[in-house]
Amino acid sequence: MKKGFTLLEMLAVIVVISILSLIILPNIMGQLADKKEEISKVSQQIILSAAELYANETGNTYQTITINDLVEAGKLEQPIIDQKTGKEISLTKEISIDASGNACIVGIDGCDRITYKQYKNGEIVYFNPETGKKCASSEAVNTTGTKIGCMKWYAFNDREGNATVNVILDHNTTTRVAWNLTGSNSEMKEAKEALKTDTSNWKSDLNPRLITANEVAKITKHPTFDATQSGQSWFCLDTNKPDTTNWCSKAQGTSEYAWLFDYTYDCTSYGCDKADSSNYGYWTSTPSEDSSTEAWRVDRNGFLRSNGVADAFHGIRPVITISKFKLS
């Protein structure tokens, strides 16, 4: 007859199993942890690849975006699971993309979010739109009609956290041109062609355009102006109100918004610094809602007002969008 295990033999087996567990289990758990870490790295790499693809296709580099930006751009699908924790990765998780388009996840391996300088309205920037590079003030040519080389620009309506900044040239590239010689504001015609010609040698990613009437109103902090609505009144840039008595008159160089209408005819009588008799101001890209024959323009008197689109007394003053990395 076979005998069972004695108590002593069972205790010996338990001791051996316990010893083996102490030796083997940590190794197994370590391998599992390493595997989870490896899988987690794969998840991270999928996110980074999506971010770098996004940057390459859009040109949006030197900025911090979120996973939600990638989802909205169709570069990632939800949900995105962190295999290490088993939890869904938050859509607010940030990814920094450097100037070369390389991405990293903020908070991992020393990756920090990219922060940007915030530019004040009227802050001066010296920039060459042909080379797409920052330049020195000593190189800048600021005369009316200058279209190439280093020029002086003014930042406007910048927001905290923006990766780019809009700047407007300090002079007209074309002195006088009609908005549309047909007299209709259904499209910006001659002014658009002049803009295209004047900026033909500029870097295309700068997206040259004309300022809008609403952007001008935002610069001056106008409380109600909206050029997309009818019934909008013209206004002096410094007061946000019309003034038919003094026509916005101020002593030379004292207007807070002199930078918006410098280099226009006799503008020193209305607060600008430097007058230029070759033009009376410049067009915005905004047609009037009250008249099919008018569009808004920034005038030498230091005001925003609509004018007949067939009149060729105003020129064009380009706006471009610059990556803040290029200005750092």
Side-chain angles (χ1 to χ4, degrees):
M1 189 173 86
K2 292 184 179 180
K3 297 173 60 177
F5 291 107
T6 66
L7 178 60
L8 184 60
E9 288 172 332
M10 291 182 68
L11 288 174
V13 170
I14 292 172
V15 169
V16 170
I17 291 174
S18 298
I19 293 172
L20 289 173
S21 296
L22 290 173
I23 296 171
I24 297 172
L25 281 179
N27 189 41
I28 293 174
M29 295 302 293
Q31 290 179 8
L32 289 174
D34 290 344
K35 184 59 66 175
K36 283 188 175 182
E37 184 71 30
E38 185 180 330
I39 295 173
S40 182
K41 289 290 185 183
V42 171
S43 298
Q44 292 171 20
Q45 191 54 53
I46 291 172
I47 294 171
L48 296 178
S49 296
E52 290 172 359
L53 179 62
Y54 166 84
N56 181 58
E57 291 184 356
T58 63
N60 294 330
T61 58
Y62 194 63
Q63 67 167 323
T64 300
I65 62 174
T66 65
I67 286 180
N68 187 59
D69 292 324
L70 298 177
V71 171
E72 290 185 347
K75 305 306 176 188
L76 282 177
E77 294 184 1
Q78 290 182 265
I80 306 156
I81 305 298
D82 184 340
Q83 299 300 328
K84 186 175 181 180
T85 63
K87 296 180 180 179
E88 184 176 346
I89 300 175
S90 172
L91 292 177
T92 60
K93 188 67 177 174
E94 294 178 321
I95 303 110
S96 286
I97 304 173
D98 67 18
S100 299
N102 301 313
C104 64
I105 299 175
V106 175
I108 296 178
D109 298 330
C111 178
D112 295 320
R113 71 187 314 274
I114 295 172
T115 57
Y116 314 95
K117 171 182 176 179
Q118 184 173 1
Y119 287 82
K120 298 178 181 178
N121 279 344
E123 187 168 348
I124 297 171
V125 168
Y126 292 99
F127 190 78
N128 185 332
E130 290 178 292
T131 62
K133 295 180 180 179
K134 181 181 177 181
C135 54
S137 59
S138 58
E139 303 172 20
V141 178
N142 305 322
T143 54
T144 299
T146 300
K147 305 173 177 64
I148 58 174
C150 181
M151 295 182 285
K152 185 178 182 180
W153 306 77
Y154 296 103
F156 67 91
N157 295 344
D158 190 23
R159 292 185 302 170
E160 184 179 359
N162 275 8
T164 59
V165 60
N166 290 323
V167 296
I168 185 169
L169 197 58
D170 81 330
H171 61 267
N172 290 3
T173 52
T174 288
T175 54
R176 297 189 183 190
V177 65
W179 203 85
N180 186 338
L181 276 175
T182 68
S184 169
N185 67 9
S186 58
E187 64 171 323
M188 186 173 66
K189 199 171 181 181
E190 277 70 27
K192 184 178 180 179
E193 284 300 313
L195 175 68
K196 182 179 179 181
T197 299
D198 289 354
T199 63
S200 59
N201 292 322
W202 295 8
K203 292 289 186 181
S204 60
D205 63 349
L206 299 175
N207 300 313
R209 62 179 178 85
L210 300 187
I211 199 168
T212 69
N214 280 355
E215 285 177 316
V216 176
K218 185 176 180 180
I219 290 169
T220 67
K221 299 181 178 64
H222 195 291
T224 60
F225 183 89
D226 182 358
T228 66
Q229 306 298 315
S230 60
Q232 304 303 302
S233 175
W234 70 277
F235 62 87
C236 298
L237 301 180
D238 282 280
T239 64
N240 283 325
K241 298 177 181 178
D243 182 354
T244 55
T245 302
N246 297 311
W247 291 100
C248 311
S249 180
K250 295 178 74 68
Q252 180 176 351
T254 62
S255 171
E256 182 179 352
Y257 305 103
W259 53 277
L260 270 178
F261 62 103
D262 268 340
Y263 294 98
T264 59
Y265 178 74
D266 192 31
C267 66
T268 52
S269 299
Y270 305 96
C272 89
D273 296 303
K274 297 181 180 180
D276 188 321
S277 60
S278 65
N279 68 91
Y280 281 71
Y282 56 91
W283 294 107
T284 74
S285 61
T286 310
S288 169
E289 291 295 318
D290 290 317
S291 171
S292 61
T293 62
E294 295 188 352
W296 293 93
R297 92 280 194 195
V298 175
D299 197 84
R300 70 187 181 96
N301 302 69
F303 57 55
L304 180 74
R305 189 169 185 169
S306 60
N307 191 81
V309 294
D311 293 339
F313 293 103
H314 296 77
I316 59 168
R317 189 165 297 198
V319 166
I320 57 176
T321 303
I322 308 175
S323 165
K324 290 182 179 178
F325 174 72
K326 294 180 179 179
L327 299 176
S328 61

